[in-house]
């Protein structure tokens, strides 16, 4: 639900500054409409009405109005609503209000499911609503999460002594360790207050949510919004008993795997051993790509966490809009239903995955990352209705594409096949199909004849005819392999031309 106080607070951040508000009560808005002549006015609807018809709005005592197109000094008689300057068009005002409302609704949904959110994403999204710097810090001034403002001003994960002394009085900070509601803490160097909320785990002070009063005129609203955010942050810690989604066990491993994927050949064995990864273990790389409709900006950290829960012995990385999961197969428990759970995860999150072949060691990670991407590409091309693609299942399409990467199809296929197809066209025969069926059955004449519904002797005559026309020597293993691959190339390209 949108309130007039919130609209007044937010409009300047959307570029609409010349407004004049008045509300006898804090009007709540459930719908926004453009006023039309003669319509019945309803409660909790914000009507946009032109200035020249302002008298309609001035007669009402309870309904909410936005009067647009006003001169610089309008006569203010609306009880609940606001006036906007004539420099703002109706479409701009309407679009701004709708965007403002959608941003608030999105934030409220995120708060509702905050237990599944990453702290950094939650703070980034909340900064647009609260319009204040946001962070979560422990009592040693280590940042557990930072919004964009804190990330830019304090790029390190911990404040140094001078920064602590400049930011707040350290003694005051520690004296508030037992406060269990939102409280104010004066900043030492600026004329404003920090908004603070303590996080307790098992009854012990653990961390503090930090914001600040940026506009004293809207202090009550800012504190109300900050309180809602603080409760959501608290639920993340209380219900999940975690310090952050990036735990100490995995942070150094992530950095190491990132380096290996970037092409670094030698791993820091101390890091790998500490995380129980060995060069003798078997691994597999998996890439997850998500539908364009999925809200990646808000959801990527949630998916990251869920994937890590699915493969707890893996290393999960975020690369742009994809997730990369390097699985340690040697450390994973043998869970028979992981494929089923993986399928559910992919379907629920509108995602597809490509997996590399299994391999030993981790020095060739970039090669197997490329395999995973190839599996995803080939799988979506050849079986678009599947969810998970293994590179080994698409080796034939991969080889088919590679075979014609440098030379054209007519330059690499055995020329005898083109002779057969031309002969079949002229004579209305089916020698090419006979040869293909024979090769498909591994050179077994009896099975081939049964498949073609002809006598075995008739098949042998056709094979003799094929040999006399093309010079193909089926008794030679290498040539039979070449002809077989040529048939497969022709059929593959024929199927992908449709």
């Amino acid at each position: 639900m949108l309130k007039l106080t919130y609209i007044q607070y937010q409009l300047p951040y959307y570029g609409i500054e010349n407004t004049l508000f008045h509300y006898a009560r804090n009007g709540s808005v459930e719908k926004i409409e453009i006023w039309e002549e003669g319509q019945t006015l309803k409660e909790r609807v914000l009507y946009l009405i032109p200035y020249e018809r302002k008298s309609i709005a001035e007669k009402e005592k309870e309904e909410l109005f936005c009067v647009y197109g006003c001169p610089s000094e309008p006569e203010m008689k609306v009880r609940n609503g606001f006036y906007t300057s004539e420099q703002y068009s109706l479409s701009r005002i309407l679009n701004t209000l709708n965007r403002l409302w959608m941003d608030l609704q999105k934030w409220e949904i995120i708060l509702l499911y905050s237990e599944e959110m990453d702290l950094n994403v939650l703070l980034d999204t909340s900064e647009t609503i609260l319009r204040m710097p946001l962070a979560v810090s422990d009592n040693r001034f280590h940042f557990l999460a930072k919004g964009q403002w804190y990330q830019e001003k304090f790029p390190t994960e911990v404040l140094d002594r001078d920064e602590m002394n400049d930011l707040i009085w350290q003694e005051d900070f520690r004296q508030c360790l037992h406060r269990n509601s939102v409280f104010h803490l004066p900043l030492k160097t600026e004329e404003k207050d920090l908004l603070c909320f303590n996080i307790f785990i098992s009854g012990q002070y653990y961390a503090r949510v930090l914001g600040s009063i940026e506009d004293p005129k809207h202090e009550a609203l800012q504190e109300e919004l900050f309180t809602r955010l603080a409760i959501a942050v608290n639920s993340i810690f209380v219900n999940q008993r975690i310090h952050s989604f990036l735990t100490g066990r995995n942070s150094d491993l992530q950095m190491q795997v990132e380096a290996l994927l970037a092409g670094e050949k030698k791993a820091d064995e101390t890091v790998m051993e500490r995380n129980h990864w060995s060069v003798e273990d078997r691994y597999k790389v998996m890439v997850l790509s998500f539908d364009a409709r999925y809200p990646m900006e808000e959801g990527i950290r949630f998916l990251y966490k869920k994937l890590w829960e699915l493969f707890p012995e893996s290393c999960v990385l975020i690369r742009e809009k994809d997730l990369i999961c390097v699985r340690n197969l040697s450390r994973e428990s043998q869970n028979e239903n992981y494929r089923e759970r993986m399928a559910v995860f992919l379907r629920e999150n509108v995602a597809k995955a490509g997996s590399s072949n299994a391999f030993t060691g981790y020095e060739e990670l970039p090669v197997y990352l490329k395999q995973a991407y190839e599996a995803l590409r080939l799988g979506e091309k050849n079986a678009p209705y599947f969810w998970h693609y293994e590179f080994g299942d698409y080796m034939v399409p991969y080889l088919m594409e590679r075979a014609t990467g440098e030379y054209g199809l007519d330059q690499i296929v055995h020329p005898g096949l083109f002779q057969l197809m031309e002969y079949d066209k002229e004579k209305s025969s089916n020698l090419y199909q006979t040869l293909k069926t024979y090769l498909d059955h591994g050179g077994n004449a009896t099975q081939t004849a049964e498949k073609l519904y002809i006598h075995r002797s008739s098949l042998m005559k056709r094979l003799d005819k094929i040999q006399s026309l093309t010079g193909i020597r089926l008794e030679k293993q290498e040539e039979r392999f070449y002809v077989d691959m040529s048939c497969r190339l022709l059929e593959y390209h024929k199927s992908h031309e449709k």
Side-chain angles (χ1 to χ4, degrees), residues 409-411 413-423 490:
L409 197 63
D410 57 339
Q411 296 170 323
V413 167
H414 194 295
L417 297 183
F418 294 115
Q419 291 177 267
L420 287 180
M421 287 188 286
E422 187 64 30
Y423 182 86
L490 287 171

Side-chain angles (χ1 to χ4, degrees), residues 358-453:
F359 57 96
T360 301
Y362 32 72
E363 285 81 1
E364 300 299 327
L365 272 175
V367 175
Y368 291 96
L369 175 62
K370 185 177 179 181
Q371 271 194 10
Y373 273 111
E374 282 294 309
L376 188 58
R377 181 185 68 82
L378 289 167
E380 290 186 310
K381 181 178 180 181
N382 290 276
Y385 300 107
F386 289 2
W387 297 91
H388 190 187
Y389 310 108
E390 296 278 353
F391 183 72
D393 294 337
Y394 294 92
M395 278 302 299
V396 172
Y398 176 76
L399 292 173
M400 296 299 172
E401 286 189 358
R402 299 287 291 182
T404 54
E406 186 174 353
Y407 298 101
L409 197 63
D410 57 339
Q411 296 170 323
I412 199 170
V413 167
H414 194 295
L417 297 183
F418 294 115
Q419 291 177 267
L420 287 180
M421 287 188 286
E422 187 64 30
Y423 182 86
D424 286 342
K425 185 177 180 181
E426 292 177 0
K427 305 295 184 181
S428 297
S429 59
N430 60 350
L431 294 182
Y432 170 77
Q433 189 61 38
T434 298
L435 177 59
K436 180 180 177 300
T437 305
Y438 179 71
L439 294 169
D440 286 345
H441 287 80
N444 187 305
T446 301
Q447 292 179 1
T448 303
E450 290 176 355
K451 180 69 175 178
L452 296 173
Y453 301 104

Side-chain angles (χ1 to χ4, degrees), residues 253 256 267-277 362:
L253 180 63
Q256 186 62 75
D268 186 334
E269 295 302 332
T270 303
V271 171
M272 306 310 273
E273 288 176 7
R274 185 164 62 244
N275 288 279
H276 310 293
W277 278 31
Y362 32 72

Side-chain angles (χ1 to χ4, degrees), residues 46-101:
L46 176 64
Y47 294 99
L48 277 61
I49 188 169
Y51 182 72
E52 56 268 21
R53 302 308 305 274
K54 68 182 188 303
S55 60
I56 303 294
E58 292 171 351
K59 294 177 183 178
E60 305 296 335
K61 294 183 178 181
E62 299 298 325
E63 281 68 26
L64 306 173
F65 292 95
C66 165
V67 181
Y68 62 89
C70 303
S72 57
E73 296 183 1
E75 295 182 10
M76 185 63 182
K77 295 182 180 180
V78 172
R79 285 172 54 83
N80 291 297
F82 59 100
Y83 289 74
T84 64
S85 169
E86 57 189 351
Q87 72 186 87
Y88 309 121
S89 66
L90 171 61
S91 61
R92 180 176 177 184
I93 296 168
L94 183 60
N95 290 337
T96 299
L97 289 173
N98 283 329
R99 181 183 166 194
L100 185 154
W101 198 344

Side-chain angles (χ1 to χ4, degrees), residues 255-360:
M255 294 176 63
Q256 186 62 75
V257 173
E258 283 272 24
L260 290 168
L261 287 171
E264 187 173 307
K265 289 291 184 182
K266 292 294 182 181
D268 186 334
E269 295 302 332
T270 303
V271 171
M272 306 310 273
E273 288 176 7
R274 185 164 62 244
N275 288 279
H276 310 293
W277 278 31
S278 167
V279 72
E280 298 176 355
D281 289 342
R282 287 183 61 73
Y283 300 90
K284 180 175 277 195
V285 179
M286 182 167 58
V287 171
L288 287 85
S289 179
F290 297 86
D291 188 277
R293 294 166 293 179
Y294 192 91
M296 294 304 296
E297 183 178 345
E298 297 82 20
I300 190 73
R301 292 280 178 173
F302 165 74
L303 296 171
Y304 167 93
K305 174 176 175 287
K306 285 297 182 183
L307 190 61
W308 204 352
E309 290 175 353
L310 196 60
F311 301 107
E313 295 300 330
S314 69
C315 180
V316 183
L317 308 170
I318 299 172
R319 179 171 289 188
E320 296 181 352
K321 293 188 176 183
D322 295 335
L323 288 179
I324 299 173
C325 178
V326 181
R327 296 169 54 195
N328 187 328
L329 304 180
S330 299
R331 305 295 174 183
E332 287 181 8
S333 59
Q334 299 300 314
N335 194 327
E336 293 296 330
N337 70 344
Y338 104 85
R339 286 182 177 275
E340 180 182 339
R341 291 187 292 119
M342 185 67 188
V344 171
F345 172 84
L346 294 172
R347 287 196 302 271
E348 286 181 346
N349 296 289
V350 199
K352 294 194 174 185
S355 288
S356 71
N357 289 334
F359 57 96
T360 301

